[in-house]
Amino acid sequence: MFPRGFAWGAATAAYQIEGGWQADGKGPSIWDTFCHEEGRVFQEQDGDVACNSYELWEKDLECIRQLGLTHYRLSLSWARLLPDGTTRHLNQKGVQYYNKVIDDLLACDVSPMVTLYHFDLPQALQDQGGWKSAGVATIFDSYAKFCFQTFGDRVKLWITINEPSVCAKLGHEDGVHAPGLKEQGTAAYLVGHNMLRAHAMAWHSYNSLFRPKQKGAVSLAINSDWLEPLHPGCEEDDAATGRDLAFTLGWFAWPLFVTGDYPEIMRSAIDSQSEKLGYTGSSRLPRFSKDEPAILGTADFFALNYYTSRKVKAGGGRGQMCMKSDRDAEEVLDPSWYICGVSWLAVVPGGLRKLLKYIKDTFNNPAVYITENGFSQVGPVQIEDVQRCKLFKDTFLEVAKAIGEDGVDVRGYFAWSLLDNFEWADGFSVRFGLFHVDFSDAELRRTVYRSGREYGEIIIKHKRATDVQRLKIYTTLINKQRLHSCFV
């Protein structure tokens, strides 16, 4: 059962929707640079225009209002606000744009959740070493304080950094995301470390300088699959699953919620692999300095991005210095899971429930916002996306069970995404939107999918329901699921 005041939202990210890549004084980001290099993105596509939300914000607002969202998650383009990444150079046009977005949302009784960083580092900072540079944490803290000062009187939910593990691994180990580096076995750990340092500095700045008056909450969005042994009870698979969870969820959640440091199982696995390969330097997984702001306790809620699940078995190491060898675990798909669009997206609603319960039990029952979850389309556009409607409903039922039966303190759900958009290296070939965007149309027309319509109906039903009615809705859903299971 979803509690009164539950946040019903949708999420977007600046580079994926805004366009206006060099409009009104915006500086270039690493994704501008990456997309303009040949062979980086599907069919050489880019986010130069994307959904053109920089000029068509009112159209996006119409979509938000049509769904009846209570919350909207957006990200700020660091380079639109501070073209060289520092507070020495302010772009007032960028400030005006985000002020309008925030004010318009509030005027429509929609609460903004604002992400400070969603993959798009100013290129000027990348030229100075980017997230591999220790100094970037202090620069991020200055950027964060500028945003808290400028927008914090109206924004009460903040995400500092979105999916740091994705930025670290895909951008610095695999090279398939900006900035496109392939420095295996070292750079990703360093980048993740500096992102945690940056987050902690920003949280402490908010806590001491802004929280007393603004009374908001700050966290970091962690993405994780649910992972479980391929052969339950097999010691090797159980151990591999523990390592995989440590490298996936624990990498960032453990320092924030448990010890202020990385999981010991993660460090020992990395150091053991280094020893096997004759690596003689200091640990490839950096250590936090006692002279810097503490990491532990710097998340006011657990921000979770969940899409899929995996079975895990022992092995997968390649005898070389890389993250895959360090974790020494192989992830496999259960053939019974439904694949939704892209090949990696096996839809496992029950995995989300299990992950939520694991978070409750492992991280001292934090308040949880599901800050991303969604289902993709590829190929011909299906406005009447009946299958995605079912997947959303199945997922909501599992979240309701996590709340009502497992006692998880889930405060909100944000669908990815409000709009079909630029899906990073996949360009526009993959669509996650609640609204279809026709990228062949000069007006970039937005059309609601059936799944978007039905999501809106669910939101309205829950917003209007009394506590007794909400319980009745939940009970009806449970009974329907049990009846269905009798015939499959």
Side-chain angles (χ1 to χ4, degrees):
M1 184 175 72
F2 296 99
R4 186 182 298 275
F6 190 82
W8 295 99
T12 59
Y15 186 78
Q16 294 178 270
I17 68 166
E18 283 182 2
W21 77 280
Q22 55 182 355
D24 295 335
K26 176 187 172 295
S29 76
I30 57 173
W31 268 96
D32 293 315
T33 302
F34 187 77
C35 290
H36 295 159
E37 295 173 352
E38 186 175 354
R40 293 293 200 177
V41 177
F42 176 79
Q43 293 186 352
E44 310 302 327
Q45 294 170 350
D46 57 53
D48 290 3
V49 177
C51 305
N52 198 20
S53 294
Y54 185 65
E55 295 182 349
L56 300 178
W57 158 244
E58 287 82 2
K59 297 294 184 183
D60 295 354
L61 185 61
E62 289 175 13
C63 297
I64 291 167
R65 295 183 66 187
Q66 183 175 339
L67 295 179
L69 300 180
T70 66
H71 289 67
Y72 177 61
R73 182 182 171 211
L74 66 143
S75 79
L76 307 178
S77 168
W78 188 346
R80 193 178 299 285
L81 289 167
L82 308 175
D84 70 355
T86 75
T87 53
R88 293 193 299 268
H89 300 97
L90 167 65
N91 179 21
Q92 194 60 43
K93 289 283 189 179
V95 174
Q96 291 171 4
Y97 172 69
Y98 291 118
N99 271 330
K100 176 173 173 52
V101 169
I102 292 167
D103 289 344
D104 286 352
L105 287 169
L106 293 172
C108 295
D109 201 25
V110 178
S111 299
M113 175 183 277
V114 174
T115 303
L116 296 176
Y117 183 77
H118 198 126
F119 299 176
D120 49 350
L121 188 72
Q123 182 60 43
L125 297 183
Q126 183 62 37
D127 294 341
Q128 300 172 35
W131 285 107
K132 290 169 56 182
S133 167
V136 74
T138 303
I139 298 172
F140 179 84
D141 183 36
S142 296
Y143 163 58
K145 286 187 285 189
F146 166 78
C147 294
F148 297 148
Q149 179 68 47
T150 306
F151 308 115
D153 58 326
R154 290 152 291 158
V155 176
K156 304 306 172 187
L157 290 171
W158 292 95
I159 300 292
T160 54
I161 297 171
N162 180 75
E163 297 185 346
S165 65
V166 171
C167 179
K169 185 176 187 298
L170 298 191
H172 299 79
E173 168 113 353
D174 301 336
V176 297
H177 275 199
L181 304 182
K182 295 183 179 180
E183 301 177 8
Q184 293 192 331
T186 55
Y189 299 132
L190 179 59
V191 166
H193 189 74
N194 286 331
M195 286 185 157
L196 274 169
R197 293 175 54 245
H199 160 79
M201 289 182 188
W203 186 93
H204 282 285
S205 291
Y206 187 85
N207 196 51
S208 61
L209 301 175
F210 301 99
R211 190 191 304 275
K213 185 174 181 179
Q214 295 180 359
K215 303 186 186 308
V218 180
S219 192
L220 174 149
I222 300 173
N223 62 294
S224 183
D225 302 344
W226 172 244
L227 304 168
E228 56 188 37
L230 178 62
H231 302 102
C234 169
E235 290 186 9
E236 291 81 3
D237 288 2
D238 288 346
T241 303
R243 285 193 304 276
D244 210 1
L245 272 170
F247 276 82
T248 304
L249 182 66
W251 186 3
F252 294 92
W254 214 261
L256 295 177
F257 291 96
V258 182
T259 63
D261 199 359
Y262 301 110
E264 183 53 38
I265 189 174
M266 181 181 183
R267 185 176 296 282
S268 62
I270 293 169
D271 291 348
S272 175
Q273 183 69 2
S274 293
E275 185 177 354
K276 288 178 185 177
L277 297 174
Y279 179 81
T280 57
S282 57
S283 176
R284 290 182 285 125
L285 186 64
R287 296 188 180 276
F288 295 105
S289 170
K290 295 180 180 179
D291 297 328
E292 291 192 329
I295 306 293
L296 182 62
T298 59
D300 299 321
F301 55 92
F302 200 111
L304 173 67
N305 293 358
Y306 169 84
Y307 287 92
T308 188
S309 294
R310 291 292 187 270
K311 303 282 189 176
V312 181
K313 64 180 181 178
R318 295 181 292 183
Q320 62 189 72
M321 197 165 67
C322 64
M323 292 188 72
K324 184 173 179 62
S325 290
D326 290 340
R327 71 175 65 194
D328 193 23
E330 183 177 348
E331 297 179 357
V332 297
L333 289 170
D334 187 316
S336 68
W337 292 339
Y338 177 76
I339 303 298
C340 187
V342 287
S343 60
W344 59 264
L345 211 177
V347 179
V348 192
L352 175 55
R353 179 185 178 184
K354 292 176 181 177
L355 182 57
L356 290 169
K357 177 69 160 55
Y358 179 86
I359 289 169
K360 175 199 171 188
D361 294 343
T362 306
F363 303 114
N364 195 29
N365 193 22
V368 179
Y369 286 89
I370 300 166
T371 42
E372 285 184 29
N373 173 250
F375 314 102
S376 68
Q377 277 191 17
V378 296
V381 175
Q382 301 175 48
I383 296 297
E384 292 297 313
D385 55 338
V386 176
Q387 184 62 40
R388 289 206 301 169
C389 294
K390 180 182 184 301
L391 299 177
F392 273 113
K393 289 177 181 177
D394 290 347
T395 298
F396 296 149
L397 180 57
E398 294 302 320
V399 174
K401 289 179 184 176
I403 297 169
E405 298 180 24
D406 302 333
V408 185
D409 185 11
V410 183
R411 303 282 181 90
Y413 174 93
F414 291 77
W416 184 268
S417 174
L418 178 69
L419 306 171
D420 289 342
N421 58 52
F422 179 83
E423 282 293 340
W424 308 117
D426 290 324
F428 301 104
S429 68
V430 177
R431 302 179 299 276
F432 276 89
L434 297 168
F435 283 80
H436 172 58
V437 178
D438 186 351
F439 295 106
S440 67
D441 175 16
E443 296 182 0
L444 295 166
R445 193 179 310 277
R446 281 88 159 125
T447 303
V448 67
Y449 285 105
R450 179 170 178 169
S451 58
R453 248 187 356 260
E454 293 196 5
Y455 183 40
E457 291 168 2
I458 290 169
I459 293 170
I460 290 171
K461 183 184 294 185
H462 281 87
K463 284 166 67 175
R464 292 176 178 173
T466 64
D467 290 339
V468 172
Q469 289 170 329
R470 273 192 291 275
L471 179 58
K472 185 176 180 181
I473 293 168
Y474 172 67
T475 303
T476 301
L477 288 171
I478 291 291
N479 289 336
K480 281 183 178 179
Q481 186 191 52
R482 287 171 179 164
L483 181 63
H484 174 72
S485 67
C486 292
F487 296 94
V488 297

